mmCIF file of all heavy atoms in Angstrom:
data_model
loop_
_atom_site.group_PDB
_atom_site.id
_atom_site.type_symbol
_atom_site.label_atom_id
_atom_site.label_comp_id
_atom_site.label_asym_id
_atom_site.label_seq_id
_atom_site.Cartn_x
_atom_site.Cartn_y
_atom_site.Cartn_z
ATOM 1 N N SER X 190 -14.565 0.457 18.193
ATOM 2 C CA SER X 190 -15.946 0.808 18.518
ATOM 3 C C SER X 190 -16.070 1.185 19.988
ATOM 4 O O SER X 190 -15.308 0.718 20.837
ATOM 5 C CB SER X 190 -16.898 -0.345 18.190
ATOM 6 O OG SER X 190 -16.692 -1.436 19.079
ATOM 7 N N PHE X 191 -17.056 2.037 20.263
ATOM 8 C CA PHE X 191 -17.366 2.462 21.627
ATOM 9 C C PHE X 191 -18.875 2.358 21.803
ATOM 10 O O PHE X 191 -19.652 2.919 21.017
ATOM 11 C CB PHE X 191 -16.914 3.900 21.866
ATOM 12 C CG PHE X 191 -17.215 4.397 23.259
ATOM 13 C CD1 PHE X 191 -16.353 4.130 24.310
ATOM 14 C CD2 PHE X 191 -18.372 5.122 23.515
ATOM 15 C CE1 PHE X 191 -16.628 4.577 25.595
ATOM 16 C CE2 PHE X 191 -18.660 5.571 24.796
ATOM 17 C CZ PHE X 191 -17.791 5.293 25.841
ATOM 18 N N ASN X 192 -19.301 1.610 22.831
ATOM 19 C CA ASN X 192 -20.722 1.403 23.114
ATOM 20 C C ASN X 192 -21.038 1.876 24.525
ATOM 21 O O ASN X 192 -20.258 1.644 25.460
ATOM 22 C CB ASN X 192 -21.076 -0.083 22.983
ATOM 23 C CG ASN X 192 -20.751 -0.634 21.609
ATOM 24 O OD1 ASN X 192 -21.504 -0.453 20.666
ATOM 25 N ND2 ASN X 192 -19.612 -1.300 21.488
ATOM 26 N N PHE X 193 -22.180 2.541 24.671
ATOM 27 C CA PHE X 193 -22.611 3.025 25.984
ATOM 28 C C PHE X 193 -23.996 2.458 26.274
ATOM 29 O O PHE X 193 -24.926 2.611 25.465
ATOM 30 C CB PHE X 193 -22.649 4.553 26.020
ATOM 31 C CG PHE X 193 -22.809 5.102 27.409
ATOM 32 C CD1 PHE X 193 -21.728 5.191 28.264
ATOM 33 C CD2 PHE X 193 -24.046 5.517 27.867
ATOM 34 C CE1 PHE X 193 -21.861 5.692 29.546
ATOM 35 C CE2 PHE X 193 -24.209 6.009 29.147
ATOM 36 C CZ PHE X 193 -23.108 6.099 29.996
ATOM 37 N N TYR X 194 -24.130 1.785 27.433
ATOM 38 C CA TYR X 194 -25.338 1.035 27.745
ATOM 39 C C TYR X 194 -25.992 1.503 29.044
ATOM 40 O O TYR X 194 -25.324 2.006 29.950
ATOM 41 C CB TYR X 194 -25.017 -0.450 27.958
ATOM 42 C CG TYR X 194 -24.308 -1.167 26.853
ATOM 43 C CD1 TYR X 194 -22.925 -1.336 26.891
ATOM 44 C CD2 TYR X 194 -25.012 -1.730 25.793
ATOM 45 C CE1 TYR X 194 -22.265 -2.043 25.895
ATOM 46 C CE2 TYR X 194 -24.357 -2.433 24.799
ATOM 47 C CZ TYR X 194 -22.982 -2.587 24.853
ATOM 48 O OH TYR X 194 -22.327 -3.286 23.868
ATOM 49 N N VAL X 195 -27.294 1.246 29.125
ATOM 50 C CA VAL X 195 -27.981 1.152 30.416
ATOM 51 C C VAL X 195 -27.917 -0.314 30.820
ATOM 52 O O VAL X 195 -28.353 -1.191 30.074
ATOM 53 C CB VAL X 195 -29.444 1.625 30.328
ATOM 54 C CG1 VAL X 195 -30.156 1.384 31.655
ATOM 55 C CG2 VAL X 195 -29.507 3.097 29.953
ATOM 56 N N ARG X 196 -27.355 -0.575 31.995
ATOM 57 C CA ARG X 196 -27.095 -1.943 32.440
ATOM 58 C C ARG X 196 -28.091 -2.350 33.510
ATOM 59 O O ARG X 196 -28.211 -1.699 34.556
ATOM 60 C CB ARG X 196 -25.674 -2.050 32.994
ATOM 61 C CG ARG X 196 -25.330 -3.395 33.607
ATOM 62 C CD ARG X 196 -23.932 -3.380 34.238
ATOM 63 N NE ARG X 196 -23.677 -4.628 34.940
ATOM 64 C CZ ARG X 196 -23.167 -5.705 34.376
ATOM 65 N NH1 ARG X 196 -22.837 -5.679 33.080
ATOM 66 N NH2 ARG X 196 -22.971 -6.816 35.062
ATOM 67 N N ASP X 197 -28.827 -3.431 33.254
ATOM 68 C CA ASP X 197 -29.798 -3.959 34.211
ATOM 69 C C ASP X 197 -29.329 -5.340 34.652
ATOM 70 O O ASP X 197 -29.444 -6.319 33.907
ATOM 71 C CB ASP X 197 -31.187 -4.035 33.576
ATOM 72 C CG ASP X 197 -32.243 -4.564 34.542
ATOM 73 O OD1 ASP X 197 -31.977 -4.577 35.764
ATOM 74 O OD2 ASP X 197 -33.329 -4.961 34.073
ATOM 75 N N ASN X 198 -28.771 -5.419 35.847
ATOM 76 C CA ASN X 198 -28.346 -6.694 36.419
ATOM 77 C C ASN X 198 -29.554 -7.349 37.077
ATOM 78 O O ASN X 198 -30.079 -6.846 38.072
ATOM 79 C CB ASN X 198 -27.225 -6.458 37.442
ATOM 80 C CG ASN X 198 -26.574 -7.758 37.898
ATOM 81 O OD1 ASN X 198 -27.232 -8.789 37.999
ATOM 82 N ND2 ASN X 198 -25.285 -7.698 38.176
ATOM 83 N N LEU X 199 -30.004 -8.459 36.536
ATOM 84 C CA LEU X 199 -31.225 -9.106 37.017
ATOM 85 C C LEU X 199 -31.064 -9.716 38.399
ATOM 86 O O LEU X 199 -32.066 -10.057 39.040
ATOM 87 C CB LEU X 199 -31.663 -10.186 36.026
ATOM 88 C CG LEU X 199 -31.888 -9.728 34.579
ATOM 89 C CD1 LEU X 199 -32.388 -10.889 33.737
ATOM 90 C CD2 LEU X 199 -32.843 -8.566 34.501
ATOM 91 N N ASP X 200 -29.829 -9.862 38.870
ATOM 92 C CA ASP X 200 -29.583 -10.448 40.180
ATOM 93 C C ASP X 200 -29.189 -9.406 41.226
ATOM 94 O O ASP X 200 -28.779 -9.751 42.329
ATOM 95 C CB ASP X 200 -28.484 -11.515 40.077
ATOM 96 C CG ASP X 200 -28.855 -12.598 39.080
ATOM 97 O OD1 ASP X 200 -29.902 -13.236 39.281
ATOM 98 O OD2 ASP X 200 -28.125 -12.780 38.098
ATOM 99 N N GLN X 201 -29.288 -8.112 40.860
ATOM 100 C CA GLN X 201 -29.006 -7.027 41.783
ATOM 101 C C GLN X 201 -30.135 -6.004 41.697
ATOM 102 O O GLN X 201 -30.901 -5.985 40.725
ATOM 103 C CB GLN X 201 -27.677 -6.337 41.444
ATOM 104 C CG GLN X 201 -26.479 -7.259 41.400
ATOM 105 C CD GLN X 201 -26.000 -7.654 42.784
ATOM 106 O OE1 GLN X 201 -26.513 -7.173 43.786
ATOM 107 N NE2 GLN X 201 -25.014 -8.534 42.839
ATOM 108 N N GLU X 202 -30.236 -5.133 42.700
ATOM 109 C CA GLU X 202 -31.256 -4.086 42.685
ATOM 110 C C GLU X 202 -30.771 -2.884 41.874
ATOM 111 O O GLU X 202 -29.605 -2.516 41.936
ATOM 112 C CB GLU X 202 -31.589 -3.644 44.112
ATOM 113 C CG GLU X 202 -32.267 -4.718 44.955
ATOM 114 C CD GLU X 202 -32.665 -4.199 46.328
ATOM 115 O OE1 GLU X 202 -32.479 -2.994 46.571
ATOM 116 O OE2 GLU X 202 -33.137 -5.008 47.146
ATOM 117 N N GLY X 203 -31.712 -2.281 41.120
ATOM 118 C CA GLY X 203 -31.407 -1.056 40.400
ATOM 119 C C GLY X 203 -30.671 -1.287 39.094
ATOM 120 O O GLY X 203 -30.318 -2.412 38.733
ATOM 121 N N SER X 204 -30.455 -0.173 38.375
ATOM 122 C CA SER X 204 -29.742 -0.188 37.101
ATOM 123 C C SER X 204 -28.578 0.791 37.164
ATOM 124 O O SER X 204 -28.540 1.686 38.011
ATOM 125 C CB SER X 204 -30.678 0.198 35.947
ATOM 126 O OG SER X 204 -31.750 -0.712 35.835
ATOM 127 N N THR X 205 -27.644 0.637 36.242
ATOM 128 C CA THR X 205 -26.497 1.526 36.200
ATOM 129 C C THR X 205 -26.067 1.685 34.741
ATOM 130 O O THR X 205 -26.809 1.315 33.824
ATOM 131 C CB THR X 205 -25.345 0.972 37.058
ATOM 132 O OG1 THR X 205 -24.278 1.915 37.060
ATOM 133 C CG2 THR X 205 -24.846 -0.359 36.530
ATOM 134 N N PHE X 206 -24.898 2.264 34.509
ATOM 135 C CA PHE X 206 -24.396 2.502 33.159
ATOM 136 C C PHE X 206 -23.088 1.739 32.950
ATOM 137 O O PHE X 206 -22.326 1.504 33.887
ATOM 138 C CB PHE X 206 -24.155 3.996 32.919
ATOM 139 C CG PHE X 206 -25.392 4.833 33.015
ATOM 140 C CD1 PHE X 206 -25.652 5.565 34.165
ATOM 141 C CD2 PHE X 206 -26.301 4.888 31.974
ATOM 142 C CE1 PHE X 206 -26.787 6.336 34.269
ATOM 143 C CE2 PHE X 206 -27.447 5.654 32.066
ATOM 144 C CZ PHE X 206 -27.693 6.379 33.221
ATOM 145 N N GLN X 207 -22.861 1.372 31.694
ATOM 146 C CA GLN X 207 -21.616 0.683 31.342
ATOM 147 C C GLN X 207 -21.165 1.136 29.961
ATOM 148 O O GLN X 207 -21.978 1.356 29.066
ATOM 149 C CB GLN X 207 -21.806 -0.841 31.341
ATOM 150 C CG GLN X 207 -20.569 -1.612 30.865
ATOM 151 C CD GLN X 207 -20.740 -3.108 30.909
ATOM 152 O OE1 GLN X 207 -21.374 -3.654 31.825
ATOM 153 N NE2 GLN X 207 -20.180 -3.820 29.935
ATOM 154 N N SER X 208 -19.865 1.282 29.795
ATOM 155 C CA SER X 208 -19.290 1.532 28.476
ATOM 156 C C SER X 208 -18.371 0.379 28.107
ATOM 157 O O SER X 208 -17.746 -0.237 28.981
ATOM 158 C CB SER X 208 -18.511 2.851 28.447
ATOM 159 O OG SER X 208 -17.369 2.785 29.277
ATOM 160 N N THR X 209 -18.301 0.083 26.820
ATOM 161 C CA THR X 209 -17.441 -0.979 26.316
ATOM 162 C C THR X 209 -16.701 -0.481 25.081
ATOM 163 O O THR X 209 -17.339 -0.048 24.111
ATOM 164 C CB THR X 209 -18.241 -2.240 25.956
ATOM 165 O OG1 THR X 209 -18.880 -2.748 27.129
ATOM 166 C CG2 THR X 209 -17.328 -3.322 25.389
ATOM 167 N N MET X 210 -15.387 -0.492 25.146
ATOM 168 C CA MET X 210 -14.552 -0.146 23.992
ATOM 169 C C MET X 210 -13.906 -1.421 23.465
ATOM 170 O O MET X 210 -13.391 -2.231 24.246
ATOM 171 C CB MET X 210 -13.476 0.864 24.380
ATOM 172 C CG MET X 210 -12.602 1.291 23.210
ATOM 173 S SD MET X 210 -11.276 2.421 23.707
ATOM 174 C CE MET X 210 -10.194 1.277 24.573
ATOM 175 N N VAL X 211 -13.939 -1.592 22.142
ATOM 176 C CA VAL X 211 -13.375 -2.787 21.504
ATOM 177 C C VAL X 211 -12.511 -2.340 20.331
ATOM 178 O O VAL X 211 -12.890 -1.422 19.588
ATOM 179 C CB VAL X 211 -14.489 -3.725 20.994
ATOM 180 C CG1 VAL X 211 -13.886 -4.960 20.327
ATOM 181 C CG2 VAL X 211 -15.415 -4.132 22.129
ATOM 182 N N TYR X 212 -11.345 -2.984 20.180
ATOM 183 C CA TYR X 212 -10.544 -2.673 18.994
ATOM 184 C C TYR X 212 -9.834 -3.924 18.489
ATOM 185 O O TYR X 212 -9.542 -4.856 19.248
ATOM 186 C CB TYR X 212 -9.541 -1.556 19.255
ATOM 187 C CG TYR X 212 -8.429 -1.876 20.225
ATOM 188 C CD1 TYR X 212 -7.276 -2.549 19.804
ATOM 189 C CD2 TYR X 212 -8.508 -1.496 21.566
ATOM 190 C CE1 TYR X 212 -6.248 -2.833 20.676
ATOM 191 C CE2 TYR X 212 -7.487 -1.777 22.445
ATOM 192 C CZ TYR X 212 -6.355 -2.445 21.995
ATOM 193 O OH TYR X 212 -5.339 -2.729 22.879
ATOM 194 N N ILE X 213 -9.571 -3.921 17.176
ATOM 195 C CA ILE X 213 -8.802 -4.971 16.508
ATOM 196 C C ILE X 213 -7.750 -4.282 15.655
ATOM 197 O O ILE X 213 -8.077 -3.426 14.817
ATOM 198 C CB ILE X 213 -9.696 -5.858 15.620
ATOM 199 C CG1 ILE X 213 -10.781 -6.543 16.456
ATOM 200 C CG2 ILE X 213 -8.861 -6.911 14.890
ATOM 201 C CD1 ILE X 213 -11.773 -7.347 15.623
ATOM 202 N N TYR X 214 -6.488 -4.633 15.876
ATOM 203 C CA TYR X 214 -5.392 -3.964 15.181
ATOM 204 C C TYR X 214 -4.445 -5.009 14.582
ATOM 205 O O TYR X 214 -3.691 -5.649 15.308
ATOM 206 C CB TYR X 214 -4.627 -3.064 16.145
ATOM 207 C CG TYR X 214 -3.529 -2.246 15.481
ATOM 208 C CD1 TYR X 214 -3.847 -1.111 14.747
ATOM 209 C CD2 TYR X 214 -2.196 -2.637 15.584
ATOM 210 C CE1 TYR X 214 -2.860 -0.369 14.139
ATOM 211 C CE2 TYR X 214 -1.192 -1.896 14.969
ATOM 212 C CZ TYR X 214 -1.537 -0.766 14.248
ATOM 213 O OH TYR X 214 -0.545 -0.023 13.633
ATOM 214 N N PRO X 215 -4.471 -5.189 13.248
ATOM 215 C CA PRO X 215 -3.524 -6.108 12.605
ATOM 216 C C PRO X 215 -2.228 -5.366 12.242
ATOM 217 O O PRO X 215 -2.238 -4.173 11.936
ATOM 218 C CB PRO X 215 -4.277 -6.541 11.346
ATOM 219 C CG PRO X 215 -5.163 -5.371 11.023
ATOM 220 C CD PRO X 215 -5.498 -4.698 12.329
ATOM 221 N N PHE X 216 -1.111 -6.084 12.279
ATOM 222 C CA PHE X 216 0.160 -5.461 11.891
ATOM 223 C C PHE X 216 1.129 -6.554 11.446
ATOM 224 O O PHE X 216 0.916 -7.747 11.688
ATOM 225 C CB PHE X 216 0.750 -4.642 13.040
ATOM 226 C CG PHE X 216 1.125 -5.433 14.260
ATOM 227 C CD1 PHE X 216 2.423 -5.866 14.464
ATOM 228 C CD2 PHE X 216 0.159 -5.752 15.213
ATOM 229 C CE1 PHE X 216 2.772 -6.596 15.590
ATOM 230 C CE2 PHE X 216 0.499 -6.481 16.345
ATOM 231 C CZ PHE X 216 1.809 -6.913 16.540
ATOM 232 N N LYS X 217 2.219 -6.112 10.806
ATOM 233 C CA LYS X 217 3.222 -7.033 10.299
ATOM 234 C C LYS X 217 4.586 -6.666 10.859
ATOM 235 O O LYS X 217 4.911 -5.488 11.026
ATOM 236 C CB LYS X 217 3.278 -6.989 8.765
ATOM 237 C CG LYS X 217 2.014 -7.487 8.075
ATOM 238 C CD LYS X 217 2.186 -7.524 6.557
ATOM 239 C CE LYS X 217 3.185 -8.590 6.151
ATOM 240 N NZ LYS X 217 3.235 -8.759 4.663
ATOM 241 N N LEU X 218 5.385 -7.686 11.158
ATOM 242 C CA LEU X 218 6.792 -7.531 11.497
ATOM 243 C C LEU X 218 7.571 -8.383 10.514
ATOM 244 O O LEU X 218 7.468 -9.614 10.543
ATOM 245 C CB LEU X 218 7.068 -7.968 12.933
ATOM 246 C CG LEU X 218 6.482 -7.092 14.050
ATOM 247 C CD1 LEU X 218 6.776 -7.699 15.418
ATOM 248 C CD2 LEU X 218 7.029 -5.667 13.975
ATOM 249 N N SER X 219 8.275 -7.708 9.643
ATOM 250 C CA SER X 219 8.949 -8.395 8.548
ATOM 251 C C SER X 219 7.886 -9.108 7.709
ATOM 252 O O SER X 219 6.934 -8.484 7.246
ATOM 253 C CB SER X 219 9.998 -9.371 9.098
ATOM 254 O OG SER X 219 10.709 -9.989 8.045
ATOM 255 N N SER X 220 7.980 -10.408 7.542
ATOM 256 C CA SER X 220 6.976 -11.147 6.761
ATOM 257 C C SER X 220 5.962 -11.865 7.651
ATOM 258 O O SER X 220 5.193 -12.685 7.169
ATOM 259 C CB SER X 220 7.677 -12.175 5.871
ATOM 260 O OG SER X 220 8.432 -13.098 6.666
ATOM 261 N N HIS X 221 5.947 -11.534 8.943
ATOM 262 C CA HIS X 221 5.075 -12.218 9.896
ATOM 263 C C HIS X 221 3.852 -11.344 10.208
ATOM 264 O O HIS X 221 3.971 -10.136 10.426
ATOM 265 C CB HIS X 221 5.834 -12.528 11.189
ATOM 266 C CG HIS X 221 7.061 -13.354 10.980
ATOM 267 N ND1 HIS X 221 7.011 -14.710 10.745
ATOM 268 C CD2 HIS X 221 8.376 -13.013 10.955
ATOM 269 C CE1 HIS X 221 8.237 -15.180 10.588
ATOM 270 N NE2 HIS X 221 9.087 -14.169 10.717
ATOM 271 N N ASN X 222 2.692 -11.989 10.215
ATOM 272 C CA ASN X 222 1.432 -11.290 10.455
ATOM 273 C C ASN X 222 0.966 -11.497 11.892
ATOM 274 O O ASN X 222 0.917 -12.626 12.393
ATOM 275 C CB ASN X 222 0.356 -11.792 9.493
ATOM 276 C CG ASN X 222 0.682 -11.462 8.055
ATOM 277 O OD1 ASN X 222 1.000 -10.318 7.728
ATOM 278 N ND2 ASN X 222 0.604 -12.458 7.182
ATOM 279 N N PHE X 223 0.578 -10.380 12.539
ATOM 280 C CA PHE X 223 0.081 -10.395 13.905
ATOM 281 C C PHE X 223 -1.249 -9.651 13.980
ATOM 282 O O PHE X 223 -1.612 -8.904 13.066
ATOM 283 C CB PHE X 223 1.077 -9.719 14.861
ATOM 284 C CG PHE X 223 2.399 -10.402 14.978
ATOM 285 C CD1 PHE X 223 3.427 -10.129 14.083
ATOM 286 C CD2 PHE X 223 2.627 -11.323 15.987
ATOM 287 C CE1 PHE X 223 4.655 -10.764 14.187
ATOM 288 C CE2 PHE X 223 3.851 -11.968 16.107
ATOM 289 C CZ PHE X 223 4.861 -11.681 15.200
ATOM 290 N N LEU X 224 -1.925 -9.854 15.087
ATOM 291 C CA LEU X 224 -3.177 -9.134 15.334
ATOM 292 C C LEU X 224 -3.368 -8.981 16.846
ATOM 293 O O LEU X 224 -3.169 -9.939 17.599
ATOM 294 C CB LEU X 224 -4.368 -9.868 14.717
ATOM 295 C CG LEU X 224 -5.746 -9.216 14.854
ATOM 296 C CD1 LEU X 224 -6.585 -9.459 13.599
ATOM 297 C CD2 LEU X 224 -6.504 -9.765 16.075
ATOM 298 N N ILE X 225 -3.727 -7.769 17.271
ATOM 299 C CA ILE X 225 -4.060 -7.506 18.663
ATOM 300 C C ILE X 225 -5.543 -7.165 18.734
ATOM 301 O O ILE X 225 -6.033 -6.332 17.968
ATOM 302 C CB ILE X 225 -3.243 -6.331 19.237
ATOM 303 C CG1 ILE X 225 -1.756 -6.672 19.254
ATOM 304 C CG2 ILE X 225 -3.705 -5.989 20.652
ATOM 305 C CD1 ILE X 225 -0.883 -5.513 19.702
ATOM 306 N N ASN X 226 -6.270 -7.817 19.624
ATOM 307 C CA ASN X 226 -7.659 -7.428 19.871
ATOM 308 C C ASN X 226 -7.878 -7.319 21.377
ATOM 309 O O ASN X 226 -7.250 -8.037 22.165
ATOM 310 C CB ASN X 226 -8.648 -8.408 19.238
ATOM 311 C CG ASN X 226 -8.600 -9.778 19.859
ATOM 312 O OD1 ASN X 226 -7.709 -10.576 19.547
ATOM 313 N ND2 ASN X 226 -9.542 -10.077 20.733
ATOM 314 N N ALA X 227 -8.743 -6.390 21.777
ATOM 315 C CA ALA X 227 -8.937 -6.126 23.199
ATOM 316 C C ALA X 227 -10.292 -5.484 23.426
ATOM 317 O O ALA X 227 -10.924 -4.953 22.496
ATOM 318 C CB ALA X 227 -7.829 -5.206 23.731
ATOM 319 N N TYR X 228 -10.732 -5.532 24.689
ATOM 320 C CA TYR X 228 -11.920 -4.802 25.110
ATOM 321 C C TYR X 228 -11.657 -4.186 26.477
ATOM 322 O O TYR X 228 -10.811 -4.666 27.248
ATOM 323 C CB TYR X 228 -13.158 -5.712 25.156
ATOM 324 C CG TYR X 228 -13.186 -6.638 26.354
ATOM 325 C CD1 TYR X 228 -13.713 -6.238 27.588
ATOM 326 C CD2 TYR X 228 -12.674 -7.938 26.261
ATOM 327 C CE1 TYR X 228 -13.721 -7.084 28.676
ATOM 328 C CE2 TYR X 228 -12.687 -8.786 27.344
ATOM 329 C CZ TYR X 228 -13.211 -8.351 28.552
ATOM 330 O OH TYR X 228 -13.207 -9.184 29.639
#
C-alpha cells in the first residue's frame, strides 16, 4: 500500500506532506515459512 497525507504536527508551526509505503511479503525456504514486513 501507498498512502499520501497532509501532515499537521500539533507541536510545530505549519503543515507539510508525508507518504507512507507498507508491504508484507511471505515466502518459503524449503519447508520453512518466513515473512518480511516493512514501512
Side-chain angles (χ1 to χ4, degrees):
S190 69
F191 180 84
N192 302 279
F193 192 80
Y194 304 97
V195 175
R196 175 185 174 88
D197 181 16
N198 190 326
L199 304 183
D200 302 301
Q201 304 284 355
E202 294 184 4
S204 299
T205 184
F206 298 101
Q207 175 178 323
S208 66
T209 298
M210 182 183 73
V211 180
Y212 67 83
I213 300 175
Y214 184 78
F216 63 96
K217 295 185 68 173
L218 291 177
S219 183
S220 60
H221 303 283
N222 295 310
F223 296 86
L224 182 144
I225 296 175
N226 66 281
Y228 76 86

